[in-house]
Amino acid sequence: MSAKPDDRGSWMGTRLPRKEDLRLITGQGKYVADIVLPGMLHAVFVRSDYAHARLVNVDVSAALEAPGVVAVITGEEMKSHCRSLRQPVLLPNLPAKYPTYYGLAVDKVKFHGDPVAMVIARDKYQAVDAAELVVVDYEELPVVLDPEAALDADAPRVHDEEADNLMFEMTFTGGGTDEERAKNEAEVEKIFQSADVVVKGRFRVHRTGTTPMETRGVLAEWSASDGLTVYNTTQRPHIDRLAFADILDIPAEKARVIAPRDMGGGFGLKAPFYRESVVVAYACRKLGRPVRWIESRYESLMNIGQERGQINTLEVAASKDGKLLALRNRGIADVGTGQIGVYWGFVMPFLGAVEMPNAYTWEAGDTNLKVIFTNKACLTPSRAFGHFPTRFAMERAVDMVARKIGMEPSDLRRRNLVPRLPYTSVTGEYYDSGDFLKVWDNLMVQVDLPAFRKEQAEARAQGRYLGIGFGCGVELSGVASELMVPMENQPGYGAATVRIDPRGKVFIMGGDAPGGQGHETTISQIVAATFGISPEDTIITTGDTGTTPFGSGTIGARMGSYFASAVRKACDELREKITHVLAHDLGIRATMEEFAFTEGEVVYQRDPSKRKGFREIAERIVMFPINLPEGEVGGLETTAFFEAAKPMICFNADACVVEVELATGQFKVLRWQTSEDVGNVINPMIVDGQMQGAIIQGLSNAIFEEFIYNDQGQQMTADFEHYKLATAADVPDVKVTYASTPCPHTPLGTRGIGEGRPSAVPGALCNALVDALAPFDIDITELPIRPSVLWQKLKAAGAV
């Protein structure tokens, strides 16, 4: 191991190389597609060619006669033998229209790619060939693709059982009654009427999201004695286990879900409970043989990874000296069919509306969100969960205010940042701790704005157009039960089991399932720092419901806040026991605080000659539990839970520098500077990687990626030829800096930050482009932003 602990002998804050990487870069990783069970069969889905159609008949007879085919399952069979996915464990505690649906389409298909049947064969290629023999007789129906048009009284209904296409509507400001909200609206209107400055924009963000390297995969097996075991690419195995039990109507103790420790990315996309998993699990029980399905990239791009998809009509009122006064927003989200377990497509825009005020102080607000069914694939969670579109709108609107009053955008932002925490936003979001001004001031030191303005002026004199843009973001640091229970009907606490074996090795078990973030490394550092041992002496197991404590999943930046805190609590409980026994053996009266765990030993600090090796004391307690202190028993294992009393946050700020070529609209991101508050940093190398990846994901979403549907609802971007991702040549070097404030609510002072980080990116990017083209009065209110779009704007402004 090349890294060493710091001068204090602690592994916390050390750039420890990732423990996971050796097996991954040498081809020793083991993913779902690498798991082979005896007698395993292979599944392939038949998917709808239409976005909206009646299922007149599904003829599987020819497929059943094909070589190697064992079974073909249809929606009618699933409906007859399984419950719908509309089960309580998968339903949020929010007032919405939740469609009833099954593992496969029944009666009609509702989007291009809707699963109609599943073919099971002895090998994958036989299944693929047989799937082409399934004959589906469709009666094509009118499609509805535009969310605003979907609200029309005569619009085609996506779900026949519903009176209209409005899935969810909520006002997030003003109170809980119609009277209170009406009063608030009137007060906000009064502020707008008297404000010196009002800006208004219709901010549209396209469908885009995340694209993990590893697609989804499910391998299920059934035995009469043990029941169902599912190997699944999931971020939430414990939630999946309950869902499998409820939908398949089997005892919960007969269901086990294992998320392999190697998963090629999740980014939120693998957090929902998907219908394909149910069909595979049902098939293995029906056939008595293991069944595996590995999603193709075509299926992945057609069915999942689609988020954003919002229109926000945002108004901001401000004073002429740059004080933000009030915001008013009317949001519309295109949810697609709303058929994704746990999230149902609308939970993301719900949270995005909550987070719209961002880090700014507001006297008042009036925000409303409508989520609308269309004949598209359901929105699925993506990094920057729901607030990529709302933050784009807010960061652009703040710049528009600054431009209107002639104020430097960075100065306007600083003036309006929340000066002291805790603070509750106008939408009711609680900001627990931190120092926004400290983070902002660090960013400004890094960018040296006066020097840039000089560089910009000199470049313009030469006919070159440089610009700088800013953005910032309040992000969730884990998700407390206070928010998780109403939002997802699930708990938010973190849980960890820690066991020390007689050889002094420490085993850590966690129910959340990572997707490549480096949890094995960071957790090993926490344990090593706590016990004064090497990270190599730790073994981390995650994601197996049969061996780990219940966890709600790797979501919302929970690792650095919740799981890490639970691990530390469990370690402290064992430290207390170790020192209690050691003090007894040494014949002294001492508390845990009087001992140091360092360099593989436990040392009595008042008399360093009194010490014992960590392995030696572990073996004594586990293997020789005699002559113990009164009330103590042998063994070193405990499970600890961590729950924050209130939601916790982290904060970040970005600066982006661009250059635009007038003749073509081509632009290049020259520099990207960040300032981060992640609390106490466990491993700066891993956090740097998280931040760099997040910025690049945000740029890729904002510039390159877009899911496109034609007028018939056909998804036109289901391969990488048409769904473009940013490459290394397209993105800048990202400079990450820290201006952290330790979180007072976690035992290590840590915060989680990985989930929401891309959200400030599109605002900062577009603000930089507008700043570069300020002489031409260009504005940007829609994404994606591409050279062709900029060129059209420049042409309209007479610049080319």
Side-chain angles (χ1 to χ4, degrees):
M1 182 183 298
S2 58
K4 297 180 180 180
D6 64 18
D7 294 338
R8 297 172 292 110
S10 176
W11 290 97
M12 286 287 292
T14 301
R15 291 180 175 270
L16 179 69
R18 291 184 7 140
K19 294 179 67 175
E20 301 91 331
D21 285 352
L22 178 61
R23 68 174 184 270
L24 297 179
I25 64 176
T26 58
Q28 301 302 307
K30 193 170 185 179
Y31 302 86
V32 169
D34 296 316
I35 302 171
V36 177
L37 299 178
M40 186 176 74
L41 302 172
H42 300 262
V44 169
F45 284 92
V46 178
R47 298 184 181 274
S48 170
D49 295 324
Y50 295 90
H52 199 196
R54 298 271 176 215
L55 287 173
V56 178
N57 186 49
V58 180
D59 184 354
V60 303
S61 57
L64 285 169
E65 296 297 321
V69 171
V70 176
V72 181
I73 296 170
T74 65
E76 290 297 335
E77 181 176 350
M78 291 299 297
K79 184 178 180 181
S80 298
H81 292 85
C82 301
R83 295 172 178 158
S84 78
L85 274 74
R86 198 175 181 273
Q87 299 301 312
V89 71
L90 299 177
L91 292 176
N93 282 326
L94 292 168
K97 296 171 183 172
Y98 298 99
T100 297
Y101 71 106
Y102 297 86
L104 296 167
V106 176
D107 296 331
K108 75 173 187 174
V109 293
K110 300 172 182 178
F111 71 99
H112 180 209
D114 210 345
V116 174
M118 187 177 79
V119 177
I120 305 154
R122 291 186 176 86
D123 71 46
K124 180 178 178 179
Y125 303 102
Q126 290 175 324
V128 169
D129 290 342
E132 295 180 0
L133 301 176
V134 175
V135 179
V136 184
D137 186 6
Y138 296 99
E139 177 189 328
E140 192 171 1
L141 299 171
V143 297
V144 58
L145 302 170
D146 182 280
E148 292 173 302
L151 290 176
D152 293 345
D154 58 351
R157 281 177 295 150
V158 176
H159 301 289
D160 294 343
E161 66 272 21
E162 302 295 348
D164 54 43
N165 289 316
L166 180 63
M167 181 185 194
F168 174 81
E169 181 175 11
M170 182 173 283
T171 297
F172 296 82
T173 46
T177 67
D178 291 342
E179 293 76 14
E180 289 172 326
R181 288 191 288 269
K183 180 182 178 183
N184 179 69
E185 289 179 16
E187 291 172 352
V188 170
E189 175 61 23
K190 189 179 296 183
I191 294 173
F192 272 88
Q193 290 294 334
S194 61
D196 298 326
V197 177
V198 173
V199 299
K200 181 177 181 179
R202 176 182 161 93
F203 300 93
R204 177 192 173 275
V205 176
H206 57 307
R207 277 194 167 218
T208 182
T210 52
T211 312
M213 292 179 67
E214 181 192 18
T215 58
R216 291 179 295 163
V218 185
L219 168 57
E221 64 174 335
W222 175 267
S223 78
S225 59
D226 297 330
L228 176 70
T229 300
V230 181
Y231 300 87
N232 196 8
T233 52
T234 177
Q235 296 169 227
R236 314 185 76 172
H238 284 272
I239 301 302
D240 285 10
R241 169 181 168 267
L242 297 175
F244 280 121
D246 291 350
I247 295 168
L248 297 173
D249 194 20
I250 59 177
E253 68 271 17
K254 291 291 188 180
R256 180 182 182 185
V257 175
I258 301 171
R261 66 174 179 169
D262 296 324
M263 183 161 64
F267 308 114
L269 180 149
K270 293 172 183 173
F273 185 78
Y274 289 106
R275 60 202 301 187
E276 290 93 344
S277 303
V278 174
V279 189
V280 173
Y282 165 75
C284 86
R285 183 178 65 171
K286 172 185 176 178
L287 300 173
R289 293 176 62 178
V291 178
R292 189 177 73 184
W293 168 67
I294 303 299
E295 180 182 49
S296 70
R297 184 61 67 185
Y298 180 82
E299 288 177 294
S300 180
L301 290 170
M302 179 177 287
N303 289 278
I304 61 172
Q306 303 182 36
E307 218 233 64
R308 325 312 185 199
Q310 292 183 36
I311 302 168
N312 287 281
T313 302
L314 174 63
E315 299 173 84
V316 170
S319 66
K320 59 186 176 183
D321 60 352
K323 179 70 180 74
L324 300 176
L325 303 174
L327 67 91
R328 180 161 54 198
N329 187 62
R330 296 295 178 263
I332 290 176
D334 176 357
V335 73
T337 64
Q339 295 173 308
I340 292 288
V342 180
Y343 299 96
W344 300 82
F346 80 93
V347 175
M348 293 82 75
F350 161 83
L351 186 61
V354 171
E355 297 198 325
M356 174 160 253
N358 205 2
Y360 307 115
T361 57
W362 302 92
E363 294 180 10
D366 174 14
T367 65
N368 175 271
L369 170 69
K370 293 180 179 179
V371 181
I372 300 155
F373 292 125
T374 62
N375 290 119
K376 298 177 185 175
C378 182
L379 294 184
T380 50
S382 290
R383 205 173 184 185
F385 187 99
H387 56 283
F388 193 91
T390 54
R391 192 138 300 160
F392 168 67
M394 179 56 67
E395 292 303 303
R396 283 295 301 118
V398 168
D399 254 46
M400 290 162 70
V401 170
R403 187 168 61 173
K404 196 163 186 177
I405 64 175
M407 189 174 184
E408 180 68 63
S410 60
D411 292 340
L412 188 143
R413 279 182 170 78
R414 192 186 192 284
R415 173 170 184 189
N416 290 281
L417 289 174
V418 174
R420 287 174 299 279
L421 301 177
Y423 176 85
T424 301
S425 77
V426 292
T427 56
E429 185 176 12
Y430 181 77
Y431 302 164
D432 72 298
S433 63
D435 188 336
F436 295 172
L437 295 176
K438 175 182 173 182
V439 174
W440 189 261
D441 290 344
N442 175 63
L443 180 70
M444 299 313 295
V445 168
Q446 304 300 324
V447 301
D448 192 355
L449 187 58
F452 172 78
R453 289 300 183 204
K454 181 180 179 182
E455 178 189 5
Q456 181 184 47
E458 292 172 351
R460 280 185 184 167
Q462 300 166 8
R464 296 172 54 230
Y465 291 86
L466 305 181
I468 190 167
F470 299 96
C472 63
V474 175
E475 316 293 352
L476 293 177
S477 173
V479 191
S481 292
E482 180 181 286
L483 179 58
M484 277 283 283
V485 171
M487 190 170 73
E488 297 182 14
N489 203 19
Q490 294 159 12
Y493 57 75
T497 297
V498 176
R499 180 175 73 240
I500 304 175
D501 82 352
R503 299 296 182 260
K505 305 300 181 182
V506 184
F507 294 77
I508 305 96
M509 283 71 78
D512 298 346
Q517 300 97 321
H519 289 192
E520 290 180 40
T521 304
T522 49
I523 292 301
S524 74
Q525 290 179 255
I526 293 169
V527 174
T530 306
F531 288 128
I533 60 176
S534 168
E536 291 299 302
D537 293 328
T538 65
I539 300 92
I540 293 88
T541 300
T542 57
D544 183 345
T545 65
T547 61
T548 63
F550 185 92
S552 284
T554 301
I555 58 169
R558 279 168 48 87
M559 201 296 293
S561 50
Y562 282 76
F563 183 38
S565 297
V567 169
R568 179 57 189 245
K569 283 186 66 178
C571 289
D572 282 345
E573 291 178 17
L574 295 179
R575 288 207 319 166
E576 182 74 46
K577 183 172 184 176
I578 289 169
T579 55
H580 187 205
V581 173
L582 182 54
H584 171 79
D585 290 353
L586 293 173
I588 60 176
R589 299 174 70 93
T591 65
M592 181 180 74
E593 289 73 20
E594 294 176 271
F595 287 90
F597 287 71
T598 179
E599 296 183 343
E601 294 188 303
V602 186
V603 182
Y604 182 48
Q605 297 184 86
R606 293 189 178 184
D607 182 358
S609 67
K610 296 180 177 179
R611 61 177 62 205
K612 205 165 198 176
F614 181 78
R615 170 177 170 168
E616 188 180 0
I617 187 63
E619 187 173 37
R620 182 264 188 273
I621 296 172
V622 177
M623 298 298 293
F624 313 119
I626 58 175
N627 300 321
L628 292 172
E630 186 177 352
E632 283 288 8
V633 295
L636 286 171
E637 180 171 343
T638 189
T639 298
F641 297 86
F642 173 81
E643 178 73 276
K646 289 282 187 179
M648 299 180 292
I649 61 155
C650 54
F651 180 64
N652 54 71
D654 289 316
C656 168
V657 175
V658 301
E659 181 169 1
V660 182
E661 183 182 274
L662 290 191
T664 63
Q666 292 286 340
F667 61 88
K668 184 176 182 180
V669 181
L670 303 177
R671 301 191 289 277
W672 198 286
Q673 180 71 55
T674 87
S675 181
E676 315 285 345
D677 179 4
V678 299
N680 289 331
V681 181
I682 301 169
N683 187 320
M685 182 186 73
I686 286 178
V687 179
D688 284 357
Q690 285 279 318
M691 299 307 98
Q692 291 167 356
I695 301 304
I696 291 166
Q697 279 186 325
L699 289 171
S700 189
N701 276 191
I703 303 171
F704 299 101
E705 303 176 42
E706 183 178 16
F707 290 104
I708 298 173
Y709 291 79
N710 69 11
D711 292 343
Q712 289 76 45
Q714 300 286 307
Q715 221 271 65
M716 307 299 289
T717 44
D719 57 52
F720 285 145
E721 180 181 359
H722 300 93
Y723 189 81
K724 171 116 169 60
L725 298 173
T727 68
D730 298 316
V731 296
D733 184 25
V734 178
K735 302 292 186 183
V736 180
T737 62
Y738 299 95
S740 292
T741 299
C743 178
H745 309 300
T746 58
L748 293 164
T750 53
R751 305 177 191 269
I753 197 171
E755 191 281 320
R757 192 58 184 83
S759 64
V761 171
L765 169 67
C766 292
N767 289 338
L769 293 170
V770 170
D771 182 63
L773 301 176
F776 310 105
D777 200 27
I778 298 295
D779 235 332
I780 301 171
T781 57
E782 292 193 9
L783 296 177
I785 183 64
R786 292 174 176 153
S788 58
V789 174
L790 269 191
W791 185 84
Q792 291 290 346
K793 290 178 178 292
L794 287 165
K795 183 180 179 183
V800 292

